[in-house]
Amino acid sequence: MPKQGFQPFMESPLHHFKLDAEAQARRADGRIWCNELPHLGYAVLRGDTAEAGFAQLVQQVTGLALPLQAGAVSQGPQGVLMWTSPDEWLLVSHRQRLADWTAQLDGGFAAQQLFAQTVDSSGGLTLAWLGGTEHITVLRHLGVYDFESIPLGHMVSTVLGKATVQVIRLDGDGVFVLFRRSFADYVWRLLRRAAQPYGFAVCQLEARGDHPLFAQLAAPRPSLILA
Amino acid sequence: MLVITCPYCQEAREEEEFSYAGEAYIARPAVPEEADDATWGDYVFHRKNPRGWHWEQWQHVAGCRKVFAVKRHTVTYEIAGSWTLADGKALYLKEQA
Amino acid sequence: MANRYSLWSLIKNGLKHHESWQPAWKSPQPKKQYDVIIVGGGGHGLATAYYLAKEHGIKNVAVLEKGYLGGGNTARNTTIIRSNYLWDEAAHLYEHGLKLWEGLSQDLNFNVMFSQRGVMNVGHTLQDMRDIERRANANLLNGVDAVVMTPQEIKDMVPLIDISNRARYPIMGASFQPRGGVARHDAVAWGFARGASELGVDIIEQCEVTGLIIEGGRIKGVNTSRGDIMADRVGCVAAGNSSVLAKMAGLRLPLESHPLQAFVSESMKPCIDTVVMSNAVHGYVSQSDKGELVIGAGIDSYLGYGQRGSPHVIEHTAAAIIEMFPSFSRVRMNRQWGGIVDVSPDACPIISKTRIQGLYFNCGWGTGGFKATPGSGNVFAHTIAHDDPHPLNRAFSLDRFATGHLIDEHGAAAVAH
Amino acid sequence: MSGYRIHRPGERINRQKPVSFQFDNVQYKAFSGDTLASALLANGVRLIGRSFKYGRPRGIVGFGAEEPNALIQLETGAHTVPDLKATQVELYQGLLAGSTTGYPSLDFDLKGLLGKFGRFMPPGFYYKTFMEPVKAWPVYEKYIRKAAGYGHAPVLPDPESYDHLHHHIDVLVVGGGAAGLWAATLAGRAGLKTLLVDEQAEMGGWLLTERRSRIDGLSGMDWVSQRLAELASLPNVSVLPRTTAFALHDLNLVQAVELLQDHLPLTERNAALPRQRLHKIRAHQVILASGAIERPLVFGYNDVPGVMTAAAGHSYLNRYGVAVGREVLVQTQNDAAYEAALDLAQCGVKVMLADARQGGAAAWRQQALKSAGVELLLGHGIAKVLGDKSVSGAQLVKLDGRNNQVVGSGPRLSVDTVLSSGGLTSTVHLFCHNGGRPVWNQQQLSFVCPDEGRDNIACVGAITGRWELSEALGQTHAAVAALLLGHGRGSSGNAPSVASEEVAAPRAIFRLPDGKPEGHGAKAFVDYQNDVAAADIHTAIRENYRSIEHVKRYTALGFGTDQGKLSNINGFAIAAEALGKPIAEVGTTTYRPSYTPVTFGALAGPHVGETFDVRRYTAMHASHDARKAEYEVVGQWLRPWYFPKPGEDLHAAVNRECLATRNSVGVMDASTLGKIDVKGPDAREFLNRIYSNAWSKLDPGKCRYGLMLDENGMVMDDGVTACLADDHFHMTTTTGGAARVYSWLERWHQTEWPELKVRFTTTTDHWATVAVVGPDSRQVLQKLCTDIDFDKDAFKFMDGRSGTVAGLPARVFRISFSGELAYEINVDANYGRYMWEEVMKAGAAFNITPYGTETMHVLRAEKGFIIVGQDTDGSMSPNDLAMSWAVGMKKPFSFLGKRSLLRSHTAGDGRKQLVGLLPLDPKVVLAEGAQILSNTDDTVPAAMQGHVTSSYHSAFLGRSIAMAVLKDGSKREGDTVFVWAHGKSVPAQVVSSVFVDKEGVRQHA
């Protein structure tokens, strides 16, 4: 429990752009709509799929099947689990839930003596949602990857300008762009610049009941912040 | 400009996602202390640098971060294939023999 | 010199409709036997032959070129000449070259248009400035001219440069070598070819070396596309192709051959009167006498003998130039090209005997070869003539990669070019 | 007044939209749809520039990318652009343009006077003179430079923007002429993702000019409209006009630049849109339909304003409604030029046609000309053109039928315009950019692309030497059908039907003879832009510049901004004649990108200004801004350098920050240090191999400083690594080295020791790190944290603890880069700013003082701690740094770089080693980068002993201190050396590099 008097506050990597101040309800115009999903929980999951029990434990704890195909994303109302490398995955969920999951996972790995671990990256990563009819074109302005070809339920790790990003496509509506905290300022400026010809607007993002990522937006309660 | 297939991401990607990691399968002397200065210097500095087919390493820095082997022609830039380091080594050794 | 160039020769020949000009160099059939064979008809090879004949009296020399003279990096560089290197050995070697440049047009009676407009290395960080101070002081104590400039002094000399804090990497200062500059690259090869030919050297174009003839650990000659040619001493000056030649002798070299790209703008009225280089933002620029901005890009990371690199490297360089010169954004690239540079681990050349008696290598100049052309040929000629390195290139032998006595110019801010 | 408007059916200008523009400060009127060139011609302006070498008057020769002469300066101020070709500038209301040559004026040019001595300026004359006196060269050069060059570089920052767009498609078609349109139609119908680009504002290519042919019963332009309508209806096809494919790279990566707004008046440009866009296109299949360009013939004074290509004269007439002259001589060696003559004659222009062929063109063409009243002179060629600043006539000669010789004099014609056609030259540039070679076609007299193209590159239409529309479309249909089959698609429809016509073969003549030996008669120009005349090529070869590359480089043939589009083949042919070789053997020079010039801005795209490079900020940045920090760029990071109070300069601020830290407590943002999570059963073994020191015995809860060497034995990075659990470590690296080290670990693990069970995960961004430093730091921590025991024996120096700080889970390490009692608090970076502020609150009572990198540097220097990259330069071994204590030579595994430390030179004497220096005058702060001499003798070359790597005024010691590397430094304590910078040398004493608290009492407090 927090010591009396402390009132910790969080600042997301894009905090300094004060996006909420300019956020507006999304409209179906030609513009690019974008905003950050702040304060989600992220954990890098490392493990060996050849080790019996690893995949099962992950499924059992998170309810998400361990994706084994390159770029595959498994999703559920409680979050997503993405393949990032043959022995590496990224878990994204609500901060509190993620903290619970990682505690259980690391406990389980230790108990079963698996060569596996989780690494909390909640402070180091953030997600932006990018939508609008031309949102793929915006990515095409900035990156060499064939973004039009990303299948639903997949993510690709590539470069936008000089930053490494992961682009996650869950539906046809838009994409989620994942990037590191210290690159956030650069990536945001890059996206804003590329979107200029179409018009760029910050949209309100609210927690959506069962969406694998929007659902995780529910503001962490103060007691949860401390986890 | 190069298009390289990452054997782990199982997809052809643009060069900008990778970083070149030098000649592949350079054997580090098992007991460096037993190698004389010349042998050690050869290992550290000397390279095949062929005008033709070259076994080299690339790291998918913007992707899975894995290092893998690529057989590439240094004049035409044609790529014969890319393999995990382990798979490539077998082929490489067969070629050398 | 029979066919001496001067204003009078121009007038004389002009009156004769330029019908009585003599060939700048002769193109004889290769002889069976020479005292020395130089493999590689680029600037360095031709300079080596010239100095062998001129300073060591060895005139029975053949220069073998697989293509046309000066068709390699001599034709593909950005013509920058300077000697402000960090380490004593490098500074002395390049300064020797610079001194030769200063009298070269007269020595060769061929105007290589060596223009001592100065070379400026700008610094963008506190560490850049420490490195600049270190190098400038080392230069001065080595007899190499060097000045450290403030941003305002830079602006006064190069009005189009941006010294404001708008820049992503604001300019904090620069080192400047007034005696540095640029030259007409092709002319250097032609001038040395003409000079060497005049002294009796055989210059053989379209003659590719396909093998080295070695008996009992001694070089005997070379196999070529125009037959075998014998000689007890063979000097290889093949830049990007050095490793290929070394392989013919069963040698390995500490070299990697990479593409190095460059490009020029359209021809404009004079707008930069010196050479500006920045290692931090990876771009360097000067303006040719013809009015083109001559811009060097970075080395492509991968091995490549294709004389072409990846376009994103050129794009990055264009961005770097705009970063320093925002107004050049509207200037247009007219032509781009690539060369093959042979890069050594310590960014310093190899001018060395080998374990094969009579076989010598001069390579590993990386991006720094053009500026060294006369100096390189001069000391290499000495090395071949005496079968013993010139004091200035003793430190640049192959054995440094075994002893660890590297001359690591990477330590200097001016590692590149 | 020569040129004038003529109404032409189907002209591409809009007479309803008159526009006015300025050239050289004179107002003119023209129409929307004009190019600057057509507008100038319509206004009778002929003199556009002065030539490069001789200052000869020059006018417009071509009508597109091939134009060598009409290089103009567009607009002024921030929007100015140098060297645009007037033939490619789309006219807009209020356009401002000016000539780029001519001094003092275009009309009266001094270089023009000099040019009268042109006969004394052979190719390479620069190389042959200006050598004496030596000192004079800079003066000569000053004027040579002034005389050269066309437009002026802009001096103001570019107000417009640029971007990039990446394409991954099935088929790219380059060229929107008949062949390209048909190729795109077939690919589009087959459902392939297809992109069609053309450099012009309008698709149609030669059909925009040529009006007689009927395709599938339609007029050329109606057929074009039909094609465009169909392409627009196909969702899988995009069509980009004003888009020039300028480079083709390996694996069909094509760069193309689209001019989005250059055709708009400055006031009408949309600031939200880029001026130009660089398209980077990956196409499985490239179809080159880039057509061909008509080259002129080479004859005496063929550069007088008023001499143009026949295709240009034809295009100005039909596309822009401009007759280029009133009395026109057309000189040709092929049939095509008859078309131009016919159209001009039908517009009432007095036309004469001289044909180098005895037989002339196909009978039906000759008949058509005669009935249009055109006088035909068969077997004639122009010996020289008359006139100075404008054509006034031409002297013809009779030509021999077989070898190119003069057999008699011809008429002297009085004309105001000369159009010449030397046949067509295929536009093979892109095909050759990455190694393709064109082949010589002796029937069509051009280097052409082979019909079979090459891997995934198809060549269709005139680029293959098919000049006749019927043949071009037939070959296009066949080639594309074959290609579609290769993609498993059938092609629908038949080749468009075009009536084929009888054509007489062109004559293989390039340089029209004038009856005199080359060089004796009137200058006959091959390359207008570089003033290369036919005689110059002969001279170059006479001087043994025999390789075509030598000819090019010695004479500058084809080196201009037109890239030799008009001159190359004529040049090769003349060289071939001089060498007595067939043209095919002479070959071509290398074709290099770009096909036409491209702005640097388009190449750079969005990667300029604030997005030129990544700028990385820590989570606490807002707090530093609030405290008015000055920043230092470290790698991509922006780090606080110092925190000046009002009125303080760097030194005042740093002195204050240092004293506060040593005497009470300071605080620093250490978030930028690289952090890597290292975990696995073999983690220790891995650290043993990658670090020079030993890790086997480091207990959980303990930290250790580690040195990383490269295989060459030199220090590449350092940092403190904490043991969290037996198999789990928290590694830190330098700020600048983080990415390199992370990659370094992965590469060694994956390539050399894959059997080791260990994994690395970067946590640099996850942890925000606050360093609390100074004697009072313990009390500050105690105010923030209750669940960690900070007792000096419970939580020792180099211990690490996990606990709750300011209510947050945190990793706290008691490590010190200052020699003081110090703690580093690591928390989830989302709380970084919060933690910083909490520390500031808790420290208020102790006057806690934020400090930046400069104070950090001073504090560590007082302790003799190195900074990799400042005190090392890639040539320093651990022993050189007097850090052999950090080298575990006894470790079982031969760690990276160990063997190199044993090499004769690396292990030998005379190496430079780290020492401390105390200037004898304590007020003097040595210059960083100053060199060290053993005595005051600085005669060059001086024997340098080393250099100063770090130097500061130490407020704590009240004197200056420095660190340096010095030859055999370890043995020279007590020596006096002389520190030399810019001619001044300062005596200093060699001392240990630890200046403060040698016993380390403070950090153990």
Side-chain angles (χ1 to χ4, degrees), chain A:
Chain A
M1 284 314 293
K3 185 156 171 275
Q4 271 311 324
F6 291 123
Q7 282 160 349
F9 59 84
M10 291 195 288
E11 286 184 354
S12 70
L14 291 173
H15 175 87
H16 60 293
F17 286 110
K18 304 193 169 40
L19 300 178
D20 290 346
E22 54 177 296
Q24 40 184 313
R26 183 180 165 201
R27 292 191 300 282
D29 53 17
R31 281 186 295 179
I32 297 300
W33 293 88
C34 193
N35 201 348
E36 179 186 24
L37 286 71
H39 309 315
L40 300 189
Y42 304 85
V44 173
L45 173 65
R46 307 294 300 264
D48 181 348
T49 52
E51 282 193 326
F54 173 67
Q56 293 85 325
L57 185 66
V58 173
Q59 167 107 47
Q60 176 195 326
V61 171
T62 65
L64 296 165
L66 189 73
L68 302 178
Q69 277 179 330
V73 178
S74 70
Q75 36 183 319
Q78 300 197 313
V80 300
L81 177 57
M82 305 185 267
W83 183 101
T84 51
S85 192
D87 64 349
E88 181 173 329
W89 297 260
L90 186 70
L91 258 176
V92 187
S93 186
H94 187 280
R95 276 192 158 240
Q96 175 57 44
R97 191 181 303 109
L98 188 96
D100 300 342
W101 281 354
T102 51
Q104 293 176 49
L105 285 168
D106 286 326
F109 296 151
Q112 300 185 34
Q113 295 182 332
L114 296 173
F115 175 33
Q117 70 178 122
T118 67
V119 184
D120 184 9
S121 300
S122 305
L125 297 171
T126 195
L127 269 177
W129 180 80
L130 186 71
T133 46
E134 295 295 329
H135 69 275
I136 290 294
T137 315
V138 167
L139 297 175
R140 287 176 52 210
H141 282 304
L142 299 172
V144 290
Y145 188 78
D146 181 5
F147 294 102
E148 289 169 334
S149 73
I150 308 175
L152 298 190
H154 268 69
M155 78 95 215
V156 59
S157 185
T158 182
V159 287
L160 287 188
K162 294 175 184 168
T164 294
V165 301
Q166 281 77 37
V167 177
I168 307 151
R169 168 167 297 305
L170 298 182
D171 53 39
D173 191 31
V175 293
F176 295 87
V177 185
L178 178 95
F179 41 92
R180 290 170 64 180
R181 163 177 286 275
S182 59
F183 287 74
D185 181 86
Y186 169 78
V187 172
W188 185 261
R189 290 175 193 275
L190 215 49
L191 289 171
R192 202 170 53 185
R193 177 180 183 133
Q196 210 190 4
Y198 315 95
F200 181 79
V202 179
C203 60
Q204 290 151 351
L205 297 179
E206 67 295 326
R208 262 196 257 147
D210 57 352
H211 190 284
L213 288 170
F214 289 126
Q216 319 312 326
L217 271 172
R221 293 188 304 284
S223 63
L224 299 185
I225 292 180
L226 311 182

Side-chain angles (χ1 to χ4, degrees), chain C residues 213-415:
Chain C
I213 304 167
I214 297 163
E215 290 165 16
R218 305 184 57 90
I219 190 83
K220 291 292 178 200
V222 298
N223 316 107
T224 81
S225 53
R226 293 172 67 169
D228 293 358
I229 307 176
M230 309 311 285
D232 296 340
R233 280 176 287 180
V234 173
C236 298
V237 205
N241 291 305
S242 298
S243 295
V244 179
L245 283 168
K247 193 157 182 267
M248 296 176 187
L251 300 171
R252 271 158 61 93
L253 294 174
L255 294 180
E256 292 201 315
S257 296
H258 291 268
L260 176 66
Q261 304 183 74
F263 60 99
V264 294
S265 74
E266 296 179 281
S267 166
M268 301 180 293
K269 294 277 186 298
C271 59
I272 298 190
D273 300 332
T274 183
V275 180
V276 178
M277 306 171 57
S278 165
N279 296 302
V281 302
H282 308 299
Y284 51 103
V285 58
S286 64
Q287 188 177 23
S288 72
D289 284 348
K290 194 162 176 266
E292 302 159 318
L293 297 179
V294 183
I295 293 167
I299 293 187
D300 280 76
S301 63
Y302 49 82
L303 293 193
Y305 288 86
Q307 291 192 334
R308 62 192 191 279
S310 300
H312 65 87
V313 174
I314 294 275
E315 289 163 15
H316 175 75
T317 303
I321 295 301
I322 293 169
E323 170 72 3
M324 287 190 287
F325 299 89
S327 66
F328 286 172
S329 171
R330 296 176 84 83
V331 173
R332 305 195 297 173
M333 172 181 81
N334 187 38
R335 196 169 62 255
Q336 72 179 66
W337 66 89
I340 312 166
V341 292
D342 43 328
V343 179
S344 73
D346 57 0
C348 277
I350 293 156
I351 311 171
S352 182
K353 299 171 67 171
T354 66
R355 56 177 160 77
I356 288 149
Q357 181 62 38
L359 180 65
Y360 312 86
F361 269 87
N362 179 351
C363 55
W365 290 93
T367 59
F370 178 73
K371 65 179 66 65
T373 306
S376 161
N378 188 272
V379 298
F380 195 44
H382 180 287
T383 305
I384 295 171
H386 298 78
D387 188 37
D388 188 45
H390 185 288
L392 285 173
N393 67 293
R394 198 168 294 284
F396 295 91
S397 68
L398 272 166
D399 60 16
R400 73 182 189 265
F401 300 100
T403 64
H405 192 183
L406 304 189
I407 306 150
D408 200 344
E409 280 292 330
H410 291 298
V415 46

Side-chain angles (χ1 to χ4, degrees), chain C residues 168-230:
Chain C
R168 174 67 179 79
Y169 292 102
I171 288 168
M172 301 182 75
S175 70
F176 184 65
Q177 182 179 21
R179 285 165 60 241
V182 293
R184 175 74 178 89
H185 54 331
D186 294 320
V188 178
W190 300 335
F192 273 118
R194 176 165 167 267
S197 180
E198 187 76 29
L199 293 169
V201 170
D202 282 3
I203 291 166
I204 323 271
E205 294 178 86
Q206 307 300 331
C207 178
E208 179 166 14
V209 170
T210 54
L212 300 176
I213 304 167
I214 297 163
E215 290 165 16
R218 305 184 57 90
I219 190 83
K220 291 292 178 200
V222 298
N223 316 107
T224 81
S225 53
R226 293 172 67 169
D228 293 358
I229 307 176
M230 309 311 285

